[in-house]
């Protein structure tokens, strides 16, 4: 029990950055927190925290130890949740890792989830880096593309489509391409993946000749990509949920709709060797259902405007 208290004191201090804040969170004094961490350091024979007058930070050994401790405490939380199912009230912190651009999908529905499950605390990391779900103690990750890790269970969240878009002002100046070959007279705005450094390929139908387009701008942020496209700098490839509002209000138009096949799928992932806790179960059940409803409502209200008719540049 003393060792568990030491782990709790250390983990909360590492998270909050001070003994005082950790003591408040744990309902004990800052002095008691400090003594628990000191005893833990003495038992381990290594310094875990760097103390200063303003803040407490992790040493390199402390950072590595904290990653393991978080997983241990999560397992304890899951075990407690399993034994308390009769309460039927999912609770605790839910750690989610998801690509930056997906906030367009998640934020509109998260308020409903939080109202339905008020005892769940969401901890969301919007980040495009590759994460190790098991090693980093992630409860649920949302990703697209191929998912070869056999240690993970996956479930579809919802489909999306990649679209080629341009601003009406750009199309008025340069004309609207009617065939992929017309892109040789246009400027492209490219997206570069942060992890691999490769460029996002535009999803032309298989068998089409590789179109040639002059690069006007390359960036690694989808919001910047959308902003540059709305500003009329060129044609860009973006997911439908990112540009939906801009298409509906006329700031953007799609081009070459009949020549691209940009279907994609987001999936939720979680470790296969861990008990599916109530907080994870309600989230993986809620999200696909709610996003499907939202997509149907959006589709029923309006359809995105068609591209302008091709004109000679």
């Amino acid at each position: 029990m003393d060792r568990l208290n030491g782990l709790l004191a250390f983990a909360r201090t590492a998270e909050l950055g001070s003994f005082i804040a950790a003591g408040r969170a744990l309902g004990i004094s800052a002095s008691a927190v400090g003594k628990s961490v000191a005893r833990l350091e003495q038992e381990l024979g290594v310094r875990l925290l760097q103390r200063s007058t303003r803040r407490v930070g992790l040493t390199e050994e402390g950072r590595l130890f904290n990653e393991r401790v978080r997983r241990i405490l999560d397992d304890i939380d899951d075990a407690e949740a399993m034994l308390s199912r009769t309460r039927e009230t999912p609770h605790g912190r839910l750690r989610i890792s998801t690509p930056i651009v997906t906030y367009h999908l998640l934020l509109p529905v998260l308020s409903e989830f939080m109202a339905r499950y008020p005892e769940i605390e969401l901890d969301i990391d919007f980040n495009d880096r590759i994460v190790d779900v098991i090693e980093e103690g992630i409860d649920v990750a949302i990703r697209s593309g191929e998912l070869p890790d056999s240690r993970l269970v996956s479930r579809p969240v919802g489909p999306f489509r990649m679209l080629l878009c341009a601003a009406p002002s750009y199309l008025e100046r340069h004309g609207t391409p009617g065939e992929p070959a017309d892109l040789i007279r246009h400027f492209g705005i490219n997206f570069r993946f942060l992890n691999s450094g490769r460029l996002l390929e535009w999803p032309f139908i298989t068998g089409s000749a590789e179109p040639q387009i002059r690069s006007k701008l390359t960036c690694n942020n989808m919001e910047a990509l959308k902003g540059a496209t709305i500003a009329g700098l060129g044609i860009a490839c973006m997911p439908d949920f990112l540009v939906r509002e801009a298409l509906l209000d006329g700031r953007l138009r799609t081009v070459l709709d009949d020549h691209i096949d940009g279907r994609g799928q987001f999936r939720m992932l979680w470790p296969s060797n861990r008990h599916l806790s109530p907080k994870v179960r309600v989230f993986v059940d809620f999200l696909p259902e709610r996003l499907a409803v939202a997509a149907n409502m959006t589709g029923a209200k309006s359809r995105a405007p068609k591209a302008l008719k091709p004109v000679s540049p």
Side-chain angles (χ1 to χ4, degrees), residues 53-312:
T53 56
R54 294 185 177 181
R55 184 169 177 81
V56 177
L58 289 168
T59 64
E60 180 60 22
E61 294 83 358
R63 184 186 65 79
L64 296 173
F65 187 65
N66 186 46
E67 292 178 1
R68 295 296 186 107
V69 168
R70 284 175 54 183
R71 292 201 300 273
I72 292 170
L73 296 178
D74 282 344
D75 285 339
I76 293 174
D77 286 343
D78 286 347
E80 291 177 345
M82 179 182 64
L83 295 176
S84 62
R85 276 188 173 182
T86 54
R87 294 175 54 194
E88 296 183 355
T89 305
H91 69 286
R93 178 176 299 179
L94 183 64
R95 294 189 177 95
I96 301 168
S97 174
T98 186
I100 294 173
V101 72
T102 58
Y103 84 84
H104 286 273
L105 289 172
L106 295 182
L107 292 187
V109 302
L110 286 184
S111 59
E112 180 180 336
F113 179 82
M114 296 170 71
R116 189 181 299 183
Y117 305 105
E119 295 188 27
I120 293 179
E121 175 191 355
L122 294 177
D123 185 348
I124 305 178
D125 178 20
F126 288 99
N127 200 308
D128 291 330
R129 69 182 179 88
I130 298 175
V131 299
D132 189 316
V133 174
I134 295 175
E135 289 299 318
E136 298 184 37
I138 303 298
D139 292 309
V140 181
I142 299 174
R143 290 294 182 267
S144 63
E146 295 298 322
L147 309 168
D149 195 335
S150 61
R151 299 175 302 167
L152 303 177
V153 178
S154 72
R155 178 175 177 178
V157 178
F160 63 90
R161 292 180 60 232
M162 300 299 292
L163 304 172
L164 297 185
C165 302
S169 60
Y170 173 87
L171 298 176
E172 289 171 3
R173 294 195 309 272
H174 298 277
T176 300
E179 301 287 338
D182 296 340
L183 291 175
I184 196 170
R185 295 187 291 272
H186 287 269
F187 294 102
I189 307 175
N190 293 312
F191 176 79
R192 186 184 301 279
F193 290 100
L194 187 62
N195 296 303
S196 65
R198 66 180 179 85
L199 297 178
L200 172 69
E201 295 183 2
W202 291 10
F204 288 96
I205 294 174
T206 302
S208 299
E210 185 68 23
Q212 301 296 317
I213 187 168
R214 290 170 289 177
S215 177
K216 185 74 169 180
L217 172 69
T218 299
C219 60
N220 62 2
N221 181 282
M222 277 287 179
E223 286 291 347
L225 193 75
K226 182 177 75 169
T229 310
I230 291 174
L233 299 186
I235 300 172
C237 183
M238 293 173 284
D240 54 1
F241 57 84
L242 175 64
V243 297
R244 183 175 293 127
E245 291 185 5
L247 291 172
L248 292 175
D249 62 25
R251 288 176 294 160
L252 289 177
R253 290 186 180 275
T254 60
V255 298
L256 299 176
D257 291 345
D258 296 333
H259 297 276
I260 62 172
D261 181 14
R263 290 171 291 182
Q265 177 75 62
F266 281 116
R267 307 185 74 87
M268 292 181 293
L269 308 132
W270 62 89
S272 61
N273 61 344
R274 291 183 59 184
H275 168 70
L276 191 60
S277 65
K279 64 184 179 183
V280 173
R281 182 176 299 279
V282 295
F283 184 78
V284 300
D285 287 342
F286 168 87
L287 194 58
E289 177 184 349
R290 189 62 186 84
L291 290 180
V293 171
N296 290 336
M297 291 177 62
T298 302
K301 288 179 180 178
S302 178
R303 298 293 180 184
K306 292 293 184 181
L308 294 172
K309 292 183 179 179
V311 298
S312 299

